[in-house]
């Protein structure tokens, strides 16, 4: 065996253990934040979203673009108190007004570029809006709040886990080879089944002995299916952003896992579905 091959063989177990240890620490921190809930969860979600915005904007700069950065941070700072104290509908005028500022600032440049407008608005739509949906789940009845928050992470992480193991075991045709060469159709189907299963487990566990009404089994299946699909789209979308910008990971904050956005890509898209599910539950129950 060549020296290079030996080095690769030695690196893989170390890298795997690094991923496992980091993943276990992340799960422990997530469990603590979910238990604390309230403003503790809101603060954690705010910081995670802000870091994800920084990583995506930095990636776009590496890709040769010149995004307007301040609007995404201002949108995040305004939306959190607006959603917590006023209404979730506040995100609409906030994003609209700041979108106008993006257009105006880019048009006033010496060399205005339409693409710079689009990449400036991208973090507001793909990160700020989902982040607000995640924080907006706190504005739910106490009986449903914990279930919905756990549902977000269970559907997204469970889907990722099932997709990885089933895709590795079965193989087969690739899902989107030009974006993510390792993802397979079998893994995608397995991920959807995993998301549905995790949603059912979460929904049924919270409904056991609950005094308040909880959604029926069909609700768990629906949010698992749609949330799992959204999570996979989010994962592929951020992979497309990385490929476009010519980077492997968005950051290095989590050893073996990359940056914050590398961990939250599927979660951000899933929480939009769960937030919509919340609106449906409040109407039905």
């Amino acid at each position: 065996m060549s020296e290079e091959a030996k080095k690769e063989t030695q690196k893989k177990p170390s890298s795997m253990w690094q991923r496992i240890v980091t993943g276990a620490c992340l799960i422990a921190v997530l469990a603590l934040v979910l238990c604390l809930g309230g403003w503790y969860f809101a603060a954690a979600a705010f910081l995670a979203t802000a870091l994800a915005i920084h990583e995506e904007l930095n990636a776009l700069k590496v890709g040769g673009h010149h995004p307007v950065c301040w609007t995404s941070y201002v949108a995040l700072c305004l939306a959190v108190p607006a959603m917590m104290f006023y209404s979730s509908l506040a995100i609409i005028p906030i994003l609209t007004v700041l979108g106008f500022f993006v257009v105006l600032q880019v048009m006033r440049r010496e060399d205005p570029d339409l693409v710079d407008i689009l990449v400036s608005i991208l973090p507001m739509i793909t990160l700020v809006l989902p982040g607000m949906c995640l924080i907006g789940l706190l504005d739910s009845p106490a009986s449903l709040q914990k279930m919905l928050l756990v549902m977000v992470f269970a559907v997204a992480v469970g889907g990722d886990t099932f997709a990885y193991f089933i895709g590795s075991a079965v193989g087969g045709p690739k899902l989107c080879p030009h974006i993510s060469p390792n993802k397979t159709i079998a893994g995608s189907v397995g991920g959807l089944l995993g998301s549905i299963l995790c949603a059912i487990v979460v929904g049924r566990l919270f409904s056991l002995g609950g005094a308040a009404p909880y959604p029926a089994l069909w609700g768990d299946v629906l949010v698992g299916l749609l949330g799992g699909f959204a999570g996979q789209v989010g994962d592929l979308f951020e992979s497309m952003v990385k490929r476009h910008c010519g980077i492997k990971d968005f950051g290095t904050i989590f050893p073996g896992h990359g940056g914050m956005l590398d961990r939250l890509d599927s979660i951000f898209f899933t929480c939009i579905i769960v937030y919509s599910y919340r609106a449906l539950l409040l109407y039905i129950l």
Side-chain angles (χ1 to χ4, degrees), residues 195-216:
S195 293
I196 293 172
L197 177 61
C198 289
I200 291 174
V201 170
V202 171
R204 294 311 93 199
L205 284 177
F206 274 90
S207 65
L208 290 176
Y214 278 88

Side-chain angles (χ1 to χ4, degrees), residues 128-152:
V128 176
L129 180 59
M132 292 308 95
C133 288
L134 187 59
I135 293 174
L137 291 176
L138 295 172
D139 186 27
S140 305
S143 59
L144 294 176
Q145 184 186 115
K146 281 287 193 298
M147 184 199 77
L148 293 171
L149 290 174
V150 173
M151 190 81 78
V152 170

Side-chain angles (χ1 to χ4, degrees), residues 81-148:
M83 291 191 71
M84 294 290 286
F85 292 112
Y86 178 59
S87 168
S88 58
L89 296 177
I91 191 65
I92 298 175
I94 290 173
L95 291 182
T96 301
V97 171
L98 289 170
F100 286 144
F101 276 110
V102 166
V103 174
L104 180 61
Q105 183 166 333
V106 173
M107 289 195 303
R108 294 186 69 251
R109 291 176 177 174
E110 291 185 6
D111 185 21
D113 187 348
L114 177 62
V115 176
D116 285 339
I117 293 178
L118 300 179
V119 297
S120 299
I121 293 176
L122 184 67
M124 292 196 287
I125 302 301
T126 61
L127 299 178
V128 176
L129 180 59
M132 292 308 95
C133 288
L134 187 59
I135 293 174
L137 291 176
L138 295 172
D139 186 27
S140 305
S143 59
L144 294 176
Q145 184 186 115
K146 281 287 193 298
M147 184 199 77
L148 293 171

Side-chain angles (χ1 to χ4, degrees), residues 16-51:
M16 180 58 70
W17 276 110
Q18 191 179 56
R19 288 180 61 86
I20 292 173
V21 171
T22 303
C25 292
L26 288 173
I27 291 173
V29 172
L30 174 62
L32 175 62
V33 173
L34 285 173
C35 288
L36 292 173
W39 280 102
Y40 293 100
F41 181 87
F46 175 87
L47 292 175
T49 304
L51 182 54

